[in-house]
Amino acid sequence: MSETGVSETEGMNVPGESMGYSPPPKTFWKTIGALGPGIILASSIVGSGELIATTVVGAKVGFSLLWLIILGCAVKVAVQVEIGRNAITWGRTPLASFDRVPGPRIGGRGWIYWCWAVMMILIVVQQGGILAGVGQSLAAALPLTTAGRVSGELYVELAAAEVDMALQKRQGSEDWVAAKKKLETLRLQSKQLQFPHDASIYSMLMALVTGVMLASGRYGLIEKFALVLVLAFTVFTFLAVVMLQFDANWAVTGEEMVLGLTPSFDGNHGGFSVALAALGIIGVGAAELMVYPYWCLEKGYGKSVGSRSLTDGWAHNAKGWMRIMQLDAWASMVVYTLVTVFFYILGAATLGRLGLVPSGNEMVRTLGQMYVPIFGAWVQQVFLLGAFAVLYSTFFVAAAGNSRMVADGMVLAGLLKSDEDSRRNAVRVTCVVWVLAALAMAFLFRAPVAMVLASGVAQALMLGALAVAVLYFRYRDIDERLAPGRSWDVLLWCSAIGFFGIAGWTVWHKATEVLVFFSPS
């Protein structure tokens, strides 16, 4: 077992009724050492939601929905803790607990199980979008072919021209017309270029490398390395936001921040739709909420709590470990909320003002233009390597976590034995299959932003199911000795109501789109 709580053998350690237990740490440093699952979670989610979905929202609507993004991060912690509490209390895997929630059953499995299965399919699509982004970032930073190099050089020139035109126009300069003509000429040249295959080549190479690493089980070192890269890139983004304030052309004003933090929809239903889709994956998404207890179990929280048959002192010991888990969850919330806010502000202040929205095969390069006004065109290369680190760590850790759930789902479906060796082998095989499926999606759709947001819609709907589940856990599937206080219940209900709101609005909006599509013109 690694210090980060991830099994070096890629197995799924599911605790049973262990006869031993460990008391929770009492000192500061031992408490810090006991944390881990939330930080792993934070390292895995600083990617598709923060780098892609959040910046797209900022680019489309400016600062007006910053409050919604922050709320979407903060509202999920109580649900995250409640799911973890259930897993640690009973020693069940999370998917097995979700399958116990009352409601319709099909083929012997509960309704949440089937909702989860549909969500997994769309998450594979999302992973394909992230893998495409990984390929794009490497291709832009380190082109392999002549066509790739020519395309990259032209795009750098194109990015500089776009920024120059936007600045000239904002300053009221008459030169902006000439800058616009230059930009149109460069855009025409870019359309006539031969389509480079560098990104596709890199996507295949990284899929191969990932499959081999996950199949061999050498996870701990890669996770630590990815975490360092993500933290470094987060610091870089924070510095970029700070440096915005030293340039009058891009500085965020107090009025803009007040606008962003004031709850309103500003009549921008299109941007609100993107924001609602993003809420499914920014911060802790529905999939990460379901994966989190697996990391808690592998970290050893369940085994440390000990067997419930040891009635003397069990509840006291369990409460101590619940406090550790809550601290872990809140620490991760602070990390991913800050990162999300940084990306949103940067997207709104630069891409939003430039009128650029990341999309298609140039998604990563468009995102790189966030940094051009601050540092200059040269920094795009640094951004591209940083984007690779962020997106790849997300892809890698998500493949490991979701493969655990898929293996667990196979056990529940009766397709796999429940012993540890069978689970471990199934996780390794599933990791490889998962990576190959994501690669297929990357080639099939070639639209990373749309692929990520499609998964966001599915996860937004899944939040409604999770709200039902956690309320069941709290009031019908809890050891009363571990029942939280009223203040925590209020927070849990606020989270559940928020989840219902996100899911309900998504259903209503998508149903409206379908009716409009099929209605006679």
Side-chain angles (χ1 to χ4, degrees), residues 392-436:
Y392 182 66
S393 67
T394 299
F395 178 75
F396 189 94
V397 177
N402 287 317
S403 295
R404 283 163 166 75
M405 279 205 295
V406 171
D408 196 16
M410 293 172 66
V411 170
L412 292 177
L415 301 175
L416 183 70
K417 295 180 180 179
S418 60
D419 62 278
E420 183 61 25
D421 288 338
S422 297
R423 286 179 181 272
R424 183 182 296 112
N425 292 332
V427 168
R428 289 176 172 174
V429 172
T430 305
C431 284
V432 175
V433 174
W434 183 277
V435 170
L436 293 178

Side-chain angles (χ1 to χ4, degrees), residues 57 60-61 65 68 268-276:
V57 176
K60 283 195 172 186
V61 304
L65 292 180
L68 186 62
N268 196 325
H269 297 298
F272 190 64
S273 298
V274 176
L276 261 294

